[in-house]
Amino acid sequence: MDRTISYVEAVREATDQEMERDASVILFGLDVDDPKAIQGTTRGLAQKYGPERVFGTPLSEDAMTGVAIGMSLAGLRPIHVHIRMDFLMLAMNQLINIAAKSRYMYGGQVHLPLVVRSMIGKSWGQGAQHSQALHSFFMHVPGLKVAAPTTPYDAKGCLIEAIRDDDPVMYVEHRILHFQKGPVPEPTYTVPPGKARITVKGKDVTLVGISYMQVECLRAQRYLESGGIQAEVIDPIWLSPLDGETIAESVRKTGRLCVVDNGWMTCGAAAEIVAQVTERLQGAREVRVRRMGFAPVTCPPTPSLENLFYPNARTIASAAYDLVKGSAQGWLPEERTDLREIEFRGPF
Amino acid sequence: MHDRFYRSLYRIRRVEEEIIRVYPTDKIKSPVHLSIGQEAVSVGVCEALRADDVVFGSYRSHAVYLAKGGDLKKMIAELYGKATGCAKGKAGSMHLVDAAHGVMGASAVVGTTIPHAAGYAYALKLRRKDSVVVSFFGDGGADEGVFYESLNFAALKKLPMIFICENNSYAIHTHQLCRQPTANIAERARVFGVPAERIEDDVLRVHERVGAAVKALRAGEPGPFFFECLTYRWKEHVGPNDDFHLGYRTREEADPWMKNDQVKRLAGLLEADQRRRIESEVEAEIQAAFAFAEESPFPDGSELFTDMFK
Ligand SMILES: Cc1ncc(C[n+]2csc(CCOP(=O)(O)OP(=O)(O)O)c2C)c(N)n1
Ligand SMILES: [Mg+2]
């Protein structure tokens, strides 16, 4: 498996291969057929599959989500793309009240094989409405699956899995992850829900990094190494269903859990992971926990505040260090430029 | 009157040209959606407004903000992310606000401020005020359901508001006719019983027609009014560059719009020394605004947690 491609190419390839395999797969959303092709993730697909199967839509997120539901009721397998996760807020009624509920509410008579792709933005002044990470909204609601792949390998495998899934899947990307490169096999394969991956083995503390924060956790692991601490890093990959088991087993070993979300903490993915782990381990293992995520404010565009808004490798390392030592140590590693470009390595 | 119009047009154009000049230095770490080419709409409309009238806009609001009297220094400082910006660095280019001058806010989510204008207008009517509200949005905004729902409510309640659809034919790179079956936005408003007009790219005409609507609303005639103002974005959707190389539109398509440049047109209506005086005053003001932004401090870290609640 020596082929290295980017996250963008992995998403594109997964879509292409599934569209080729299954004529019921269709792709639409604002600007999927425009010159920028959603960062390149849809490039060439309109030309290859024609405007009936690949098309840009009007700016009508609410109605187009309902249209996607209607299509999937009729047996199509739509992939609906949103360039920002923030725009999903216009589609919430259809997603939460209909997509999540149809199979159950109609007693299993219908199902909705629907994929909703959306992207989290960051930096360069994305600000209040172009930077939100709202995956936990969807984790909260039974009936939706949520994938947040961080590597090109998982981007491809999760997307293929999502397309083949007979129920709605929220597929969460991050704009910065789009530039990541990594090994990706050419033939199709799936990365099924409910299985997290241990990305680095360690014994002192468990770091769970969600979405882009996986990259920061991998860097934090290196910082911690230089502080004499061996962190185990876990990528949940799928947030719903969540592989609490793999994370709990790691924490059973380390006794310390730091969950770093690319999102807010209150009622968030990190809170859920911490709760699931402590429920599993209570009485069996004493555990120290820490959640990290966005500051509990609106994302400010000015760099001077934005830097404080997000956790980063050094603040994560510092927090994990404290967990291991059992109290605030005030340890903050010197910035290392060699860690800036951590890329994903495989194979997994 | 022409001198006022020219000052406003020239000022907006030159501010954005300065933004383009500075942009490669990365001092403005904010996505900028420039109004260059579209200034005539904001100026034509806002010159018909009073200080106590209010406007709501989109992420493409540099022109509206300035035309309505928004503070230039605070705008540039905001783009620089400085503590002296109109929102202390918390807005960036996409959410310009100057409540004291009736710029009530701008949203990056297309169409979302249209109902805010209707709500504000409802409040004005309830309080028997004679000021008016203007909602600025694009042809893409007219794709969204909230546009029709807001139009319906405004017509139902006869609200003192004016819808200004800045139709530049594109939503990002997608032409109106790839998103809508017919280019008849103004006509759709008429179906709600709303007087609606399409206006060519002509600052004086925009001013005259919108001015008449404002006068009618102040006199207590029922609203709303609707104007579809035809215009053209010269630069890329977001960022400081041209984008004709992308292939979704051509230079030839842009040519007639550029020839009809309303900034040049108004310049031609002034005496040479009057024009020069305006230009040099505006240049000095712009220079001062950029210097102010450069010299201003970034917000202190403690500002991260302010402004969440009272
Ligand atoms: C609800 C929503 N959907 C999609 C987008 C992405 N988007 C940003 S600007 C834009 C085009 C809007 O076009 P238009 O309303 O005509 O305004 P213009 O940019 O031409 O001024 C789109 C699709 C968005 N910001 N909000
Ligand atoms: Mg437009």
Side-chain angles (χ1 to χ4, degrees):
Chain A
M1 202 219 288
D2 22 46
R3 196 180 62 137
T4 295
I5 63 173
S6 71
Y7 194 114
V8 162
E9 288 161 329
V11 169
R12 206 207 75 89
E13 182 171 274
T15 313
D16 188 10
Q17 288 174 337
E18 287 303 285
M19 291 192 75
E20 187 151 339
R21 187 187 59 80
D22 181 351
S24 62
V25 178
I26 68 168
L27 173 71
F28 61 87
L30 269 169
D31 308 322
V32 298
D33 57 354
D34 90 348
K36 300 216 166 151
I38 314 289
Q39 306 250 86
T41 58
T42 60
R43 185 156 333 272
L45 298 175
Q47 291 77 356
K48 182 163 174 190
Y49 296 102
E52 279 190 324
R53 288 184 66 198
V54 180
F55 58 92
T57 67
L59 288 78
S60 306
E61 290 79 0
D62 181 15
M64 290 313 303
T65 307
V67 167
I69 288 171
M71 290 168 166
S72 55
L73 283 171
L76 294 180
R77 306 184 88 83
I79 307 171
H80 188 188
V81 186
H82 301 265
I83 191 97
R84 309 260 171 198
M85 195 170 211
D86 313 68
F87 306 154
L88 282 181
M89 297 303 99
L90 281 79
M92 283 308 243
N93 175 51
Q94 294 290 346
L95 289 172
I96 306 297
N97 286 330
I98 307 294
K101 297 188 172 46
S102 287
R103 186 189 280 272
Y104 190 92
M105 174 170 90
Y106 296 133
Q109 284 196 43
V110 303
H111 64 276
L112 305 175
L114 164 70
V115 180
V116 180
R117 280 182 53 201
S118 66
M119 272 142 257
I120 301 165
K122 185 183 177 188
S123 81
W124 205 263
Q126 299 299 299
Q129 300 169 339
H130 275 40
S131 62
Q132 293 177 96
L134 302 165
H135 41 278
S136 65
F137 284 25
F138 302 103
M139 291 170 70
H140 184 67
V141 180
L144 297 173
K145 291 180 185 140
V146 184
T150 61
T151 64
Y153 178 90
D154 289 336
K156 178 170 174 179
C158 287
L159 186 54
I160 293 176
E161 174 71 26
I163 293 168
R164 296 181 187 176
D165 196 301
D166 279 336
D167 292 301
V169 176
M170 308 300 297
Y171 181 92
V172 181
E173 301 162 47
H174 192 290
R175 303 262 286 197
I176 293 182
L177 291 175
H178 274 161
F179 306 115
Q180 295 275 344
K181 291 199 161 114
V184 177
E186 221 227 284
T188 58
Y189 59 91
T190 61
V191 174
K195 192 75 197 98
R197 176 176 295 116
I198 297 173
T199 48
V200 181
K201 288 238 175 247
K203 62 176 178 44
D204 298 326
V205 57
T206 303
L207 291 181
V208 177
I210 295 168
S211 178
Y212 172 67
M213 285 301 156
Q214 176 65 206
V215 179
E216 297 289 355
C217 282
L218 289 173
R219 288 184 192 133
Q221 184 269 338
R222 299 283 293 278
Y223 279 122
L224 286 163
E225 216 168 42
S226 62
I229 286 168
Q230 292 175 24
E232 180 144 295
V233 185
I234 298 181
D235 181 351
I237 310 173
W238 286 82
L239 295 171
S240 187
L242 178 76
D243 179 7
E245 192 56 33
T246 296
I247 302 169
E249 281 318 299
S250 170
V251 182
R252 191 189 299 279
K253 179 174 66 181
T254 63
R256 294 131 184 160
L257 170 64
C258 179
V259 186
V260 191
D261 193 7
N262 189 80
W264 287 297
M265 286 184 287
T266 304
C267 301
E272 179 57 28
I273 290 171
V274 166
Q276 288 201 19
V277 168
T278 45
E279 273 174 354
R280 276 189 165 82
L281 297 182
Q282 62 190 334
R285 175 71 156 113
E286 200 185 313
V287 187
R288 280 202 290 269
V289 298
R290 174 76 193 264
R291 285 173 298 160
M292 297 181 81
F294 295 174
V297 298
T298 299
C299 179
T302 180
S304 74
L305 299 183
E306 196 193 44
N307 289 340
L308 303 171
F309 177 79
Y310 292 106
N312 61 54
R314 293 165 67 228
T315 58
I316 295 165
S318 173
Y321 191 86
D322 290 350
L323 272 184
V324 173
K325 300 293 177 190
S327 61
Q329 303 288 311
W331 178 74
L332 187 68
E334 284 294 315
E335 177 145 26
R336 277 171 54 185
T337 48
D338 61 316
L339 295 183
R340 269 204 208 125
E341 291 310 320
I342 282 204
E343 286 192 19
F344 289 104
R345 297 262 143 66
F348 303 111
Chain B
M1 183 170 94
H2 290 170
D3 57 335
R4 266 203 350 255
F5 284 32
Y6 182 63
R7 179 185 293 273
S8 187
L9 287 166
Y10 180 80
R11 185 164 170 263
I12 296 166
R13 173 71 54 89
R14 286 290 305 124
V15 165
E16 290 205 319
E17 285 173 350
E18 277 304 287
I19 292 170
I20 291 174
R21 195 181 62 76
V22 170
Y23 211 72
T25 65
D26 289 353
K27 284 180 179 163
I28 298 177
K29 287 198 180 60
S30 178
V32 287
H33 301 77
L34 300 181
S35 309
I36 289 183
Q38 302 191 195
E39 301 92 340
V41 183
S42 291
V43 173
V45 172
C46 291
E47 285 297 329
L49 300 180
R50 285 192 321 228
D52 62 333
D53 297 327
V54 305
V55 297
F56 289 85
S58 73
Y59 50 86
R60 195 181 307 287
S61 277
H62 294 175
V64 184
Y65 174 96
L66 290 172
K68 183 63 180 62
D71 187 295
L72 174 61
K73 278 186 171 161
K74 290 181 181 169
M75 169 181 156
I76 304 303
E78 187 61 38
L79 267 56
Y80 273 70
K82 297 299 182 74
T84 52
C86 62
K88 307 176 220 170
K90 292 173 174 174
S93 157
M94 296 197 287
H95 307 291
L96 294 179
V97 62
D98 189 340
H101 294 100
V103 182
M104 296 310 295
S107 170
V109 183
V110 172
T112 41
T113 66
I114 304 173
H116 309 163
Y120 202 106
Y122 190 94
L124 291 178
K125 191 171 156 129
L126 186 72
R127 294 185 174 144
R128 308 289 184 266
K129 296 274 182 12
D130 76 344
S131 36
V132 304
V133 186
V134 180
S135 168
F136 288 87
F137 54 95
D139 50 296
D143 287 12
E144 292 281 2
V146 70
F147 162 67
Y148 299 93
E149 297 174 31
S150 305
L151 189 56
N152 181 56
F153 181 75
L156 179 73
K157 298 294 181 188
K158 304 188 173 24
L159 299 179
M161 78 175 271
I162 299 173
F163 290 82
I164 300 288
C165 178
E166 289 191 66
N167 186 351
N168 60 11
S169 291
Y170 290 94
I172 311 190
H173 311 124
T174 306
H175 193 272
Q176 185 187 1
L177 290 177
C178 298
R179 299 175 284 110
Q180 303 174 9
T182 23
N184 62 347
I185 294 174
E187 217 173 291
R188 293 176 224 168
R190 272 180 224 126
V191 177
F192 289 86
V194 173
E197 239 177 276
R198 174 183 277 183
I199 310 180
E200 301 299 318
D201 188 19
D202 176 337
V203 65
L204 300 178
R205 180 84 185 144
V206 171
H207 178 255
E208 180 197 323
R209 298 306 303 143
V210 173
V214 170
K215 203 167 156 210
L217 291 175
R218 291 211 208 287
E221 284 180 37
F225 288 85
F226 192 105
F227 298 96
E228 179 187 2
C229 298
L230 302 185
T231 184
Y232 200 79
R233 159 170 62 75
W234 293 10
K235 297 290 171 187
E236 58 189 334
H237 167 71
V238 54
N241 304 304
D242 293 339
D243 69 355
F244 296 102
H245 66 283
L246 285 179
Y248 72 95
R249 58 178 187 169
T250 61
R251 258 243 182 249
E252 292 70 61
E253 181 185 271
D255 263 353
W257 296 95
M258 293 180 171
K259 284 213 181 75
N260 183 42
D261 184 1
Q262 295 294 295
V263 182
K264 282 216 187 88
R265 173 185 173 207
L266 268 281
L269 297 180
L270 299 182
E271 298 293 337
D273 50 336
Q274 190 186 19
R275 178 171 59 80
R276 273 195 295 273
R277 186 173 43 76
I278 290 173
E279 288 171 1
S280 70
E281 282 168 11
V282 169
E283 294 300 337
E285 191 197 358
I286 293 174
Q287 218 175 32
F290 277 79
F292 174 76
E294 297 264 354
E295 287 154 17
S296 294
F298 281 106
D300 184 75
S302 61
E303 277 291 334
L304 182 63
F305 296 100
T306 61
D307 300 314
M308 280 310 295
F309 296 105
K310 191 170 176 187

